[in-house]
Amino acid sequence: MFPFSKTYDTWSLERILRHVAYWCMWWAFYVVVNGNSYGTGEYLPWLILELCVLPIKLSFTYFVVYYLLPRYSKKKRYVSLFLITIGLALVGGVLIRVLDFYYVSKYLLPSAKYLHKIDDSQFLTFKLAYKVLDLLFVVSLVITIKFVQQQITHERYTKDLLTQKLKTELQFLKHQLQPHFLFNTLNNLYGMILTKDEKAGEVVIKLSEIMNYMLYESNDTLIPLDKELANLTNYIHLERIRYGEELEVRYEMEGDTDNVKIPPLILISFVENAFKHGPSVHSDISWIHITGKVLKDSFHFVVENSLGSNKKGENPKKPEINSGIGLLNVRKRLELIYGDGYVLSINPSDTYKVELEIPHN
């Protein structure tokens, strides 16, 4: 009903009820302990006695916790806080002893059977020390609770701050990726329009579907794999229209994609990079192979493409691993989301091969 970690900014009814319940438990605790210690089997006198000293305990505790603690702990003056608390506990112990000696034991509960009346010489003996320790015990428990709550609040605030920072950085990187992809595709579309390619209209439709996905369906940190694959299929179809029979594209996907989530716009970056480097007018065969496999705890994605050359007879050109805005952003996004929990391997040799493995549970 009352979660321990919950904190309040105002004195709401729920907060007041929590405090009332807390002090009622203390009240009952002292009544039971004292009643059993004296072996009388009667609790009503101790109910009255603890009710008399409760205002002193309340005043002392709330003054320390809500006035001294925030001011001294903020400046980390813990020694001063400790000494002042000890001094106030001594004052509070004297007040309780005065109340006990001059009022409770004489008028309210005069029976020695309950209070063991003492003479004046015993006023400043162990009985007083016991009252001081009693106050310190009560307030130390409350201070411990407050410190734990402050720590929980601080950790929650830090976590929220880091989460917000992560979301901001991810959005920034994703927004960088979208113009990069759009710029490349519009360049291709412009060339098709200049050559009056009949498939330009179909490219516009596919591009609109991809942009709809980017703008409205990829705003979460993780999205269903099915959506990402559908977007990837649209992109591959768009590029097939562009290259026709000049480029061999093989696309395969294995495993159960249900309930699998991955970061949006990650896969398309590798595929786009493959289309950038794979096709070549100077090669007899240009190809791109795309495979994906859903494993038990991870998703494995591989993109491999042939490398073109600038002139006929030259060795295949080897693109720099970190070239391009797209791949740089993908690395940053993967690090922000998974830390070191992902594997990204880019191996340019006779072909250009990218392997990605990310957890999905």
Side-chain angles (χ1 to χ4, degrees), residues 16 18-31 34 45-63 92-93 95-97 99-100 103-104 108 131 134-135 138-139 142:
I16 293 173
R18 289 185 67 168
H19 283 248
V20 170
Y22 175 81
W23 288 108
C24 283
M25 286 189 292
W26 269 117
W27 189 11
F29 170 76
Y30 279 108
V31 169
N34 289 329
W46 297 107
L47 280 171
I48 300 173
L49 174 62
E50 289 302 323
L51 184 61
C52 291
V53 300
L54 189 60
I56 298 177
K57 292 182 178 180
L58 283 169
S59 301
F60 170 70
T61 301
Y62 283 105
F63 182 77
L95 289 177
I96 293 177
R97 198 74 187 100
L99 182 67
D100 177 16
Y103 179 70
V104 176
L108 189 62
K131 301 300 181 183
D134 184 19
L135 284 174
V138 172
V139 78
V142 179

Side-chain angles (χ1 to χ4, degrees), residues 60 73 82 85-86 133 135 141 195 202 237 305 315 329 337:
F60 170 70
S73 64
F82 176 75
T85 301
I86 293 293
L133 291 175
L135 284 174
L141 182 59
T195 59
E202 189 175 351
H237 184 74
N305 60 270
N315 293 326
N329 282 349
I337 296 171

Side-chain angles (χ1 to χ4, degrees), residues 95-268:
L95 289 177
I96 293 177
R97 198 74 187 100
V98 168
L99 182 67
D100 177 16
F101 189 80
Y102 290 105
Y103 179 70
V104 176
S105 63
K106 292 183 181 295
Y107 304 105
L108 189 62
L109 297 171
S111 174
K113 180 180 180 181
Y114 298 119
L115 295 176
H116 292 262
K117 290 167 59 175
I118 55 178
D119 55 41
D120 295 349
S121 64
Q122 294 178 309
F123 184 84
L124 296 176
T125 59
F126 176 75
K127 292 288 185 180
L128 177 59
Y130 171 78
K131 301 300 181 183
V132 173
L133 291 175
D134 184 19
L135 284 174
L136 291 175
F137 174 64
V138 172
V139 78
S140 64
L141 182 59
V142 179
I143 289 177
T144 300
I145 293 174
K146 294 301 292 185
F147 268 122
V148 172
Q149 288 182 332
Q150 287 178 4
Q151 184 65 26
I152 292 174
T153 302
H154 177 71
E155 290 178 357
R156 187 180 298 157
Y157 173 77
T158 303
K159 183 178 179 181
D160 291 342
L161 192 64
L162 290 175
T163 301
Q164 187 60 40
K165 181 176 181 292
L166 174 63
K167 288 182 179 179
T168 301
E169 291 183 3
L170 286 174
Q171 284 296 108
F172 174 74
L173 294 172
K174 194 181 77 171
H175 290 161
Q176 272 192 315
L177 177 63
Q178 291 174 2
H180 173 67
F181 162 75
L182 182 60
F183 176 77
N184 287 347
T185 306
L186 287 178
N187 271 345
N188 298 335
L189 180 60
Y190 177 68
M192 297 178 71
I193 293 174
L194 288 180
T195 59
K196 297 181 180 181
D197 193 319
E198 295 179 354
K199 295 181 179 179
E202 189 175 351
V203 171
V204 172
I205 294 175
K206 291 299 179 183
L207 179 59
S208 67
E209 292 177 356
I210 292 174
M211 293 308 299
N212 179 73
Y213 170 79
M214 287 183 169
L215 293 174
Y216 303 111
E217 299 183 26
S218 62
N219 294 321
D220 295 328
T221 304
L222 299 175
I223 63 168
L225 176 60
D226 288 333
K227 287 188 176 182
E228 181 73 2
L229 294 179
N231 180 65
L232 185 62
T233 301
N234 278 338
Y235 177 78
I236 294 173
H237 184 74
L238 187 152
E239 292 289 16
R240 277 174 170 162
I241 292 175
R242 175 189 172 196
Y243 288 104
E245 300 298 328
E246 298 177 2
L247 178 66
E248 174 196 335
V249 181
R250 188 175 68 194
Y251 172 51
E252 299 175 351
M253 193 63 54
E254 299 179 20
D256 185 7
T257 60
D258 292 342
N259 302 319
V260 177
K261 291 188 176 183
I262 66 170
L265 305 177
I266 290 289
L267 306 183
I268 196 174

Side-chain angles (χ1 to χ4, degrees), residues 222 260-263 297-299 338 341-343 357-361:
L222 299 175
V260 177
K261 291 188 176 183
I262 66 170
D297 298 316
S298 63
F299 174 67
Y338 297 110
Y342 75 97
V343 177
E357 187 167 355
I358 53 178
H360 62 68
N361 290 334

